[in-house]
Amino acid sequence: MKKRKGIAVLLILILSLAVTACGDRYGVKEGESYIYCMNTDKTGLVKVAAKISGNSAIKKAESVIDEMKKPTNEIEYTQAIPEQVKLLDCALKGSILEINFSEEYYEVKSLDEKLMRAAIVQSLLQIDGIDAVSVRVEGEPLKDDEGNEVGLMNEDDIVDTTGSSLSSYQSDTLKLYFADQNGSKLVKQKVDVHYSSNVLKEKLIVEKLMQGPSEEGAYPTINPAANLLSVTTKDGICYVNFDSTFLISAYDVLPEITIYSIVDSLVEGTGVRQVQITINGESNAKYMEKVDLSQPLNEEQDWIAADNKE
């Protein structure tokens, strides 16, 4: 894309002589509220000061979207959401914000849409009470270029907002553990996946576990009504954060089978050493009043069926 550095320098000098309301927005001061806009070349995001109004998370979210749609004549950035893309409604379900856009959303070019989505998610997550964002278009879940539902998004999903990596995809084979017919042992299934490089592999594994097995001989372990709020890896520990619905079992399986389907799949599939499962960010919980979740858990192969061990 054609660069505009020379023009930018000249115009900045001119604009420095006349400070405008928009000019004050670039360069966020400590404690100021802000939104994300696209840089001029649409290769990354720029943090911009914004007045966010409202006395509830919903009202603040609506204010953020309004701010992100405002046209700008600034050199350093451009609005993240085109004016023709309308916000139809939004709802807060627990700590998950569901936003519903008009059909014009799908008219945004693919790479621009990825940046727009990143800007939306990062702008909304600064609001207290919002831990994850779900985007819908005309009431239907947002789908990516491959036709897959994008699902819940949080800061862990926005890996890179500065270039071509936003559009790259990779293939892999996941080894996932589900329940056997009796719900007392783990059985392994291999699943071929093609996914965006912006999606953490750890998060992908948990999402696939939540979807359940694709072949016969294995059974689901995780309540499908549960919401996955975030997945983060640090210092060899994978932190998997669910909402409280996770604690309610939907299947006739041992509590340990549900927990270690997650732990063993992540440890074997990603190289993390331990898995810490949290509920709404808190670790002081027991799954089905039996499995202590207060500490990170190690892989436990005793729960794996003998003919599934390598």
Side-chain angles (χ1 to χ4, degrees):
M1 183 175 288
K2 185 177 180 181
K3 301 291 183 182
R4 296 165 57 185
K5 272 191 174 179
I7 299 174
V9 171
L10 176 60
L11 289 179
I12 288 173
L13 290 173
I14 295 172
L15 289 174
S16 66
L17 301 176
V19 178
T20 65
C22 287
D24 288 338
R25 297 176 69 194
Y26 187 61
V28 180
K29 299 176 183 177
E30 185 175 353
E32 280 189 309
S33 57
Y34 57 86
I35 59 172
Y36 283 91
C37 295
M38 294 183 190
N39 63 21
T40 306
D41 290 335
K42 295 187 177 181
T43 58
L45 301 181
V46 175
K47 189 183 289 187
V48 174
K51 293 182 179 180
I52 300 175
S53 60
N55 53 11
S56 68
I58 288 291
K59 292 299 182 182
K60 289 178 180 177
E62 292 173 346
S63 177
V64 165
I65 298 298
D66 285 343
E67 288 291 320
M68 296 180 73
K69 292 181 61 177
K70 287 183 178 179
T72 175
N73 294 321
E74 292 299 309
I75 301 165
E76 299 91 349
Y77 60 87
T78 185
Q79 69 200 87
I81 306 176
E83 288 183 90
Q84 67 268 24
V85 177
K86 301 178 181 63
L87 177 65
L88 300 182
D89 55 73
C90 59
L92 191 63
K93 299 180 179 179
S95 61
I96 299 170
L97 181 71
E98 186 176 280
I99 51 178
N100 184 27
F101 289 108
S102 64
E103 60 185 357
E104 286 80 9
Y105 185 100
Y106 279 128
E107 294 177 4
V108 180
K109 294 180 180 179
S110 179
L111 185 55
D112 289 353
E113 186 276 329
K114 292 178 175 65
L115 274 175
M116 176 175 71
R117 193 195 321 159
I120 291 170
V121 173
Q122 294 193 75
S123 297
L124 291 172
L125 288 179
Q126 69 176 300
I127 300 173
D128 289 339
I130 299 177
D131 293 325
V133 178
S134 173
V135 177
R136 305 178 79 86
V137 179
E138 297 289 346
E140 297 297 322
L142 176 66
K143 295 183 179 180
D144 62 17
D145 295 338
E146 303 292 310
N148 302 311
E149 291 187 9
V150 172
L152 295 179
M153 293 170 286
N154 52 44
E155 290 178 345
D156 300 322
D157 299 306
I158 311 302
V159 176
D160 188 347
T161 58
T162 58
S164 61
S165 62
L166 284 169
S167 61
S168 62
Y169 281 78
Q170 54 193 359
S171 298
D172 203 349
T173 299
L174 305 180
K175 298 176 182 178
L176 307 177
Y177 286 102
F178 297 101
D180 67 359
Q181 186 174 9
N182 298 320
S184 60
K185 287 290 183 180
L186 294 170
V187 294
K188 183 188 298 183
Q189 282 199 349
K190 294 182 179 181
V191 179
D192 293 328
V193 292
H194 183 61
Y195 64 102
S196 169
S197 59
N198 290 328
V199 176
L200 295 177
K201 187 177 180 181
E202 291 90 337
K203 183 172 186 286
L204 179 66
I205 286 174
V206 180
E207 289 179 335
K208 290 298 182 181
L209 288 172
M210 295 176 72
Q211 292 174 11
S214 57
E215 299 177 5
E216 295 182 358
Y219 299 84
T221 60
I222 302 173
N223 186 341
N227 288 305
L228 180 61
L229 301 181
S230 64
V231 179
T232 307
T233 297
K234 184 178 181 181
D235 298 330
I237 301 175
C238 183
Y239 297 87
V240 183
N241 186 25
F242 291 101
D243 71 351
S244 58
T245 309
F246 172 80
L247 297 175
I248 304 171
S249 178
Y251 304 108
D252 187 18
V253 301
L254 293 178
E256 293 86 351
I257 295 302
T258 295
I259 298 304
Y260 285 99
S261 70
I262 299 170
V263 175
D264 289 6
S265 295
L266 285 169
V267 171
E268 184 171 328
T270 67
V272 300
R273 299 191 311 272
Q274 295 177 304
V275 177
Q276 172 75 71
I277 297 175
T278 58
I279 305 301
N280 292 319
E282 301 292 334
S283 59
N284 57 342
K286 277 191 175 182
Y287 181 72
M288 298 299 292
E289 300 300 323
K290 189 171 183 181
V291 183
D292 185 8
L293 303 180
S294 64
Q295 299 295 325
L297 299 171
N298 295 305
E299 180 183 23
E300 184 54 79
Q301 293 208 355
D302 288 347
W303 293 106
I304 302 175
D307 57 355
N308 279 251
K309 295 181 180 179
E310 293 183 353

